[in-house]
Amino acid sequence: MMDEKKMVEFEDQEHHEHNEDIPPELEALLHTDPMHGLTEEEHAERLAKFGFNEIEEKKRNPFLHFLSFFTGSIAYLIEISFVLTAIVGDWINFGIIGGLLIINALIGWFEENKAGAALDALKNTLALKSKVWRAGKLIEVDSKTLVPGDVIVIRLGDIVPADARLLGIGVDGAATEVDLLIDQAALTGESLPVNKNKGDTVYSSSIVKQGQMMAVVTKTGENTFIGRAANLIAITNEQGHFQKIVNSIGNFLVIVTVAMVIVIFIYIIVYKKSQPDLNVSTTKLVLDALRDVVVLTVAAIPVGLPTVLSVTMAVGAKQLAKKQVIVKRLTAIEEMASVSILCSDKTGTLTLNKLTFDEPYLKPGYTKENLLFYSYLSAEPGANDPIELAVRTAATANVPILQNLTDHTVPGYKVTSFLPFNPSTKMTQATILNLETNQSFRVSKGAPQVIVKLVGGDNEATQAVNDLARRGLRALGVAITKPDSLEEWMLVGMISLLDPPRPDSAATIAKCHDMGVTVKMVTGDQLIIGKEVAHRLGMQRAILDATKLVDPNVTEEQLTDRCIHADGFAQVIPEHKYRVVELLQNRGILVGMTGDGVNDAPALKKANVGIAVHDCTDAARAAADIVLLAPGLSTIVDGILTSRAIFQRMRSYALYRITSTVHFLLFFFTITLALRWQMDPILLILIAVLNDAATIVIAFDNAQISQKPDKWRIGQLITLSIILGSLLCALTYAVFFVAHDVFGVPIISTIDLPSNKVPYDKQMQSIIYLNISSAPHFTIFSTRLSGFFWENLPSPMFFTAIMATQIFATIIVSVGLGNLVQAIGWAWGFSILGISLLYFVFLDFVKVYVMRFWSFELTVKLWPSKSRKFKLAHKKLRAAIVARTSSNVQKVRECIPHAYAASVLLNLTKLKNKTE
């Protein structure tokens, strides 16, 4: 059992310091005469050396920021095509391609033009004016002119202008009797204001809640506690997950397209050179070949891919806004759907950030109402101290006689003497006159060890306080005098106070778990407080002391394992939060981070998805990708569900677009080389523009929401696209040769035509145009989901848009369009349309069985890598433990490195216990 000495140690430990390392050369500058301050010469010299007390602005050039949206593999190929269309004089395609480039860039730029506001918000949290001693005078100066060694005065309500060391004296030079009470929750995440006295450090942008004291400035600007947070934000400019995915898709398509186009380009030139009767100059021959392949490139490359995905996310952002989830960065929607770990700030996010009366310890004969009533009598009227406020609030809510009071006067009782809280006595004391009996009694309220000593010792009460301390609850003792004496005390009980979880936090965490998202609590509070809150939230109590994340004797792999297996982190500072996100991301995990304070801003910027919660600071809001307008985390569930629906729409479009590109390239590459047959450029452009324009409506389509975090699975996506594209190519060849061999439609080699011969039979072009337009387009009804298409039917708007474009294409080829499109009649038109619809059903069955056959084990077998093998072994181990089969566990354990297996088994044992 703890003795009273240990209880005191616990009380003192609650206000732990974030140790500040000050180099000797700086320490030498801090011994300024408190009543004189620096001279003007000293100040000017130090200002030149240390610079202004402000966070340096590091803004992006707006023009360069806009140009950054013209980068990426797809964009580069489109830009090359844009230039080439101008060279060959194809001004229609020149305008179309240029318009798509500008639209893509404007959408991205418009949504992100305020993303660089994080540093501005951090800068604005600095105080504007400060009282400082200069050359023997107390003057007011701009806070940005403060330098190390300046002696400043801080008082109730002030925002601390720089990191400073308290001197323990007031403005008159006399020693101060009352500690400062500092609210630094926005910086450190601690839920309670902390006491600061002589020698302690107060941090820039923290708020003085009580007291007055002079301090010497130790650090300014970017060297302060908040400045280090700003630097972490400034260095975090990594490429987002969505950009990486789009670039992966783009690289594949660009490589395939360029390779095929170069072959066709060379083939056309070589072939025409070998035909003397064509009589074409080399320059015109090259330009004609270039015109053919540029149009083919534009039609093949998904120029609308960035636009369709951006529009889909923009529509999703509006849907999220209706659920009080504001999206600042569009691509965060896609990343949110893939987040598997959500690191949540505790104070103010999972909890109310308000001390609340908890279950008390009561001596026999007393009730909760008695305890609160006596506590109220000994409370200081109007005090802003959070503990006093919590006691008064609980008392007025639970004690009938105290309800509806207009002032601190209690009916039937009169306070005849009051001693406010004093750091030396650590208690308040009041003498009360009972007006009904005309007898007086005294009430004392204060630190548990002081009250226990006041009543002459109480082992049972001491044990109760120790139990509360082990759970992280703040204890407050209450005692009254005996009826016949004002000097003999008896214990009433112990009040327990805690920053409680929000009413919806536990349910939100459970919902996130059901959706495959692990929630990890992050707090600046002590370990025991973190464990208690985690327990009340229904989480495991495996809370890690964040200082262990910077252990130099532990490898990166071991640190990452600690992060993965921990249910939360305690005693964190901004660098720790940043480190947690970094370690998890190094393992390939997509991480979400929530927060509301300045201390959260670096991690919010570093995370794949930074989420600023309700009532957050400007710094957190500016650094975040998503802002929640409703209190707590409950809206995050809506955000995850909506983002997963949006993700499914984007993946559906990507699968369709890659499939149609593979089909397009494969057919025209082979048909050009085999039969020297080509299609008119206008028909190629019609296919590209009409089909992509229609698929923009996918943003409003119904979506099948995944029950676990979504992944692109690029290997699976490309493989399935190649399979479906090859089958579509087979269909197009079947239509081509049936039309020629069965119905006698002529095949005319356009490459063989003399340049002066324009009229020729275009019937085959119209037939193939309709097939290439409709067959791949209908596959989007299949790519919408992994199961059969009828399991989740498309929305009426989406279905209408897709069908309308193909009916329009059917009308064009059936009745003709002047010299541009030759008529083939209604029989051909509706026959091809019907064949495309039936073939889409066949492709849907192919897709379903490919997806069923495909597994992560197959991926590991086809594309083995160390990380994939590692992940596969972990999945098997997890399944074995859940199944409670020890033989399987032993078998799978052999697949995993021994050191890691031990930690995995330790973590997964909890899972087994929960399932039991």
Side-chain angles (χ1 to χ4, degrees):
M1 184 173 94
M2 277 190 189
D3 55 21
E4 291 186 14
K5 181 179 179 182
K6 290 186 178 179
M7 289 166 52
V8 176
E9 289 175 352
F10 170 74
E11 291 288 325
D12 293 338
Q13 186 186 6
E14 285 191 319
H15 307 306
H16 64 276
E17 286 292 320
H18 297 275
N19 295 328
E20 194 176 46
D21 296 324
I22 297 179
E25 60 272 17
L26 180 58
E27 181 67 45
L29 302 177
L30 305 182
H31 302 288
T32 310
D33 181 354
M35 305 307 296
H36 185 272
L38 300 175
T39 65
E40 293 298 337
E41 293 76 14
E42 288 174 325
H43 173 261
E45 180 183 340
R46 296 185 187 188
L47 188 62
K49 179 179 180 180
F50 295 100
F52 283 110
N53 177 35
E54 60 184 1
I55 299 171
E56 183 183 354
E57 298 183 52
K58 299 174 183 176
K59 296 182 178 179
R60 288 181 293 184
N61 183 296
F63 180 69
L64 295 179
H65 182 212
F66 180 71
L67 290 182
S68 69
F69 293 97
F70 292 92
T71 60
S73 51
I74 293 178
Y76 292 145
L77 191 60
I78 296 172
E79 288 154 16
I80 292 171
S81 301
F82 179 68
V83 172
L84 292 178
T85 52
I87 293 173
V88 300
D90 188 355
W91 302 114
I92 294 177
N93 286 327
F94 178 83
I96 293 172
I97 296 170
L100 287 171
L101 280 170
I102 296 297
I103 291 171
N104 287 341
L106 283 175
I107 290 174
W109 178 81
F110 180 76
E111 293 295 333
E112 295 184 20
N113 61 349
K114 294 181 180 180
L119 292 176
D120 288 336
L122 282 169
K123 178 182 177 182
N124 290 336
T125 61
L126 293 174
L128 299 178
K129 296 286 185 179
S130 300
K131 291 281 189 182
V132 59
W133 282 99
R134 287 269 171 81
K137 296 180 181 179
L138 185 63
I139 60 175
E140 189 174 67
V141 301
D142 288 337
S143 294
K144 73 174 186 177
T145 65
L146 294 178
V147 296
D150 262 331
V151 176
I152 59 174
V153 179
I154 51 178
R155 66 189 78 188
L156 174 67
D158 282 354
I159 299 174
V160 180
D163 287 2
R165 181 185 296 160
L166 297 177
L167 297 175
I169 57 176
V171 70
D172 57 356
T176 55
E177 295 184 1
V178 179
D179 294 347
L180 288 185
L181 195 63
I182 302 292
D183 180 359
Q184 55 187 37
L187 281 78
T188 64
E190 294 165 296
S191 56
L192 298 174
V194 295
N195 286 319
K196 299 275 188 175
N197 47 42
K198 182 178 180 180
D200 289 340
T201 296
V202 290
Y203 298 111
S204 173
S205 294
S206 57
I207 302 171
V208 182
K209 291 293 188 180
Q210 173 183 293
Q212 180 196 76
M213 198 178 295
M214 290 205 296
V216 59
V217 174
T218 57
K219 294 181 180 179
T220 58
E222 294 184 352
N223 296 316
T224 61
F225 190 83
I226 188 177
R228 295 200 302 273
N231 285 332
L232 285 176
I233 292 178
I235 64 175
T236 307
N237 290 305
E238 299 177 358
Q239 185 184 42
H241 177 260
F242 180 72
Q243 283 81 7
K244 292 177 183 177
I245 293 299
V246 171
N247 284 343
S248 297
I249 296 172
N251 290 338
F252 167 75
L253 294 178
V254 166
I255 291 171
V256 173
T257 302
V258 169
M260 290 187 174
V261 164
I262 289 175
V263 171
I264 292 175
F265 179 72
I266 294 172
Y267 173 79
I268 292 174
I269 292 177
V270 171
Y271 178 79
K272 286 191 174 183
K273 268 288 188 182
S274 65
Q275 303 297 314
D277 57 319
L278 292 179
N279 194 24
V280 179
S281 68
T282 302
T283 302
K284 189 172 188 330
L285 189 150
V286 171
L287 287 176
D288 288 345
L290 194 59
R291 182 180 293 106
D292 290 337
V293 297
V294 166
V295 173
L296 183 63
T297 303
V298 173
I301 283 295
V303 291
L305 179 66
T307 303
V308 172
L309 296 184
S310 294
V311 170
T312 302
M313 289 186 288
V315 171
K318 291 182 180 179
Q319 294 171 348
L320 286 170
K322 295 178 181 178
K323 300 177 184 293
Q324 295 189 298
V325 179
I326 305 302
V327 179
K328 288 183 55 191
R329 178 173 61 87
L330 276 185
T331 55
I333 295 175
E334 177 270 340
E335 291 163 9
M336 190 174 184
S338 304
V339 163
S340 57
I341 290 182
L342 179 65
C343 297
S344 175
D345 183 53
K346 177 185 76 69
T347 306
T349 303
L350 294 175
T351 66
L352 294 171
N353 194 20
K354 182 173 66 176
L355 275 181
T356 303
F357 181 74
D358 204 71
E359 284 302 314
Y361 164 75
L362 297 169
K363 294 295 288 184
Y366 294 103
T367 65
K368 185 188 299 185
E369 287 187 7
N370 297 145
L371 182 67
L372 288 172
F373 176 72
Y374 291 127
S375 301
Y376 187 86
L377 290 177
S378 61
E380 183 177 356
N384 290 323
D385 180 89
I387 294 177
E388 291 282 18
L389 182 61
V391 170
R392 291 202 308 268
T393 301
T396 54
N398 292 281
V399 182
I401 194 175
L402 301 178
Q403 294 173 355
N404 302 318
L405 293 181
T406 57
D407 55 27
H408 199 73
T409 303
V410 180
Y413 296 87
K414 181 180 180 181
V415 179
T416 58
S417 174
F418 183 80
L419 294 175
F421 180 84
N422 188 305
S424 60
T425 62
K426 293 190 175 182
M427 65 179 178
T428 62
Q429 202 170 94
T431 302
I432 312 296
L433 174 64
N434 187 326
L435 299 178
E436 185 178 338
T437 62
N438 206 32
Q439 290 184 329
S440 293
F441 63 95
R442 296 165 71 190
V443 182
S444 186
K445 176 177 89 272
Q449 70 275 9
V450 173
I451 300 300
V452 169
K453 185 177 181 180
L454 185 68
V455 301
D458 189 320
N459 290 336
E460 184 181 336
T462 301
Q463 178 63 50
V465 173
N466 293 337
D467 291 340
L468 292 173
R470 279 191 291 269
R471 293 169 52 203
L473 274 70
R474 171 70 66 88
L476 203 62
V478 179
I480 61 172
T481 55
K482 294 181 180 180
D484 53 351
S485 172
L486 289 179
E487 301 299 329
E488 295 185 58
W489 294 85
M490 53 187 181
L491 186 66
V492 177
M494 296 287 175
I495 292 174
S496 64
L497 299 170
L498 181 74
D499 177 15
R502 290 185 179 275
D504 60 346
S505 290
T508 300
I509 291 172
K511 288 178 182 177
C512 287
H513 183 268
D514 291 340
M515 293 188 292
V517 179
T518 301
V519 178
K520 295 183 184 293
M521 183 176 68
V522 183
T523 178
D525 275 325
Q526 286 185 299
L527 194 62
I528 51 175
I529 297 177
K531 289 185 175 183
E532 176 65 19
V533 173
H535 174 69
R536 296 186 180 213
L537 289 170
M539 303 169 67
Q540 298 296 317
R541 295 168 63 97
I543 307 299
L544 183 68
D545 187 332
T547 57
K548 294 182 179 179
L549 296 175
V550 290
D551 188 343
N553 300 318
V554 180
T555 66
E556 288 280 302
E557 283 294 317
Q558 290 173 320
L559 287 175
T560 304
D561 291 340
R562 287 180 180 180
C563 287
I564 291 174
H565 300 151
D567 296 298
F569 308 90
Q571 298 188 182
V572 298
I573 59 177
E575 287 88 342
H576 291 153
K577 294 186 178 186
Y578 188 93
R579 181 68 169 144
V580 167
V581 175
E582 183 179 49
L583 287 169
L584 292 173
Q585 288 176 334
N586 289 344
R587 187 61 68 83
I589 297 170
L590 263 68
V591 183
M593 168 65 78
T594 73
D596 61 351
V598 174
N599 64 313
D600 301 316
L604 291 176
K605 186 73 179 294
K606 172 67 175 172
N608 298 96
V609 182
I611 306 167
V613 297
H614 179 65
D615 281 344
C616 60
T617 62
D618 288 341
R621 186 181 299 111
D625 305 306
I626 290 174
V627 180
L628 305 182
L629 300 184
L633 277 185
S634 57
T635 52
I636 205 72
V637 175
D638 289 332
I640 292 173
L641 291 174
T642 304
S643 65
R644 288 185 182 179
I646 296 165
F647 181 95
Q648 289 300 326
R649 294 173 188 136
M650 291 194 296
R651 191 176 188 277
S652 167
Y653 173 76
L655 178 56
Y656 147 75
R657 201 58 183 88
I658 300 172
T659 297
S660 59
T661 299
V662 170
H663 167 220
F664 194 95
L665 285 172
L666 193 57
F667 175 75
F668 281 104
F669 178 73
T670 55
I671 202 75
T672 301
L673 297 183
L675 301 176
R676 298 181 298 283
W677 187 87
Q678 289 183 312
M679 187 179 287
D680 279 356
I682 187 63
L683 296 178
L684 297 175
I685 294 301
L686 270 176
I687 293 172
V689 174
L690 281 178
N691 288 11
D692 269 346
T695 49
I696 288 179
V697 188
I698 198 172
F700 303 95
D701 185 27
N702 297 328
Q704 190 176 58
I705 299 173
S706 172
Q707 292 301 307
K708 56 185 179 181
D710 288 304
K711 294 182 180 179
W712 280 96
R713 297 181 177 86
I714 295 297
Q716 182 192 74
L717 192 71
I718 291 176
T719 303
L720 184 57
S721 298
I722 292 173
I723 293 172
L724 297 178
S726 300
L727 292 173
L728 283 168
C729 184
L731 172 66
T732 304
Y733 265 112
V735 171
F736 186 91
F737 285 110
V738 166
H740 173 65
D741 296 338
V742 177
F743 294 94
V745 177
I747 299 175
I748 299 175
S749 173
T750 53
I751 296 177
D752 292 333
L753 287 174
S755 58
N756 59 353
K757 182 179 179 180
V758 177
Y760 63 96
D761 193 332
K762 296 183 178 180
Q763 190 176 7
M764 183 64 80
Q765 289 204 32
S766 298
I767 292 171
I768 297 303
Y769 159 74
L770 184 56
N771 174 259
I772 291 179
S773 175
S774 61
H777 211 202
F778 289 149
T779 60
I780 201 168
F781 292 140
S782 174
T783 61
R784 296 174 55 256
L785 64 164
S786 58
F788 293 105
F789 73 91
W790 60 78
E791 294 175 6
N792 182 27
L793 296 177
S795 68
M797 180 186 293
F798 182 61
F799 178 79
T800 302
I802 299 298
M803 294 304 298
T805 56
Q806 298 316 310
I807 291 174
F808 177 73
T810 302
I811 294 172
I812 288 176
V813 298
S814 297
V815 301
L817 196 63
N819 293 327
L820 297 176
V821 181
Q822 183 172 332
I824 57 174
W826 294 105
W828 268 111
F830 283 110
S831 297
I832 294 171
L833 198 65
I835 290 170
S836 296
L837 277 170
L838 290 174
Y839 202 71
F840 129 72
V841 177
F842 163 70
L843 292 179
D844 189 61
F845 277 86
V846 173
K847 174 212 66 181
V848 168
Y849 286 104
V850 169
M851 297 286 278
R852 288 181 181 178
F853 176 73
W854 196 283
S855 65
F856 187 68
E857 287 85 348
L858 179 63
T859 304
V860 176
K861 189 177 295 184
L862 295 176
W863 295 283
S865 68
K866 182 180 177 181
S867 62
R868 287 196 180 106
K869 291 178 180 178
F870 198 80
K871 185 176 179 180
L872 177 61
H874 180 273
K875 290 178 69 175
K876 289 183 177 180
L877 179 60
R878 182 185 179 92
I881 289 181
V882 172
R884 305 184 185 92
T885 53
S886 58
S887 60
N888 287 345
V889 171
Q890 184 58 37
K891 185 184 299 182
V892 174
R893 182 173 180 174
E894 295 170 0
C895 303
I896 305 181
H898 178 73
Y900 180 67
S903 60
V904 171
L905 285 170
L906 178 63
N907 185 54
L908 294 184
T909 298
K910 295 188 300 182
L911 176 63
K912 179 180 177 181
N913 293 336
K914 286 177 71 175
T915 58
E916 291 175 343

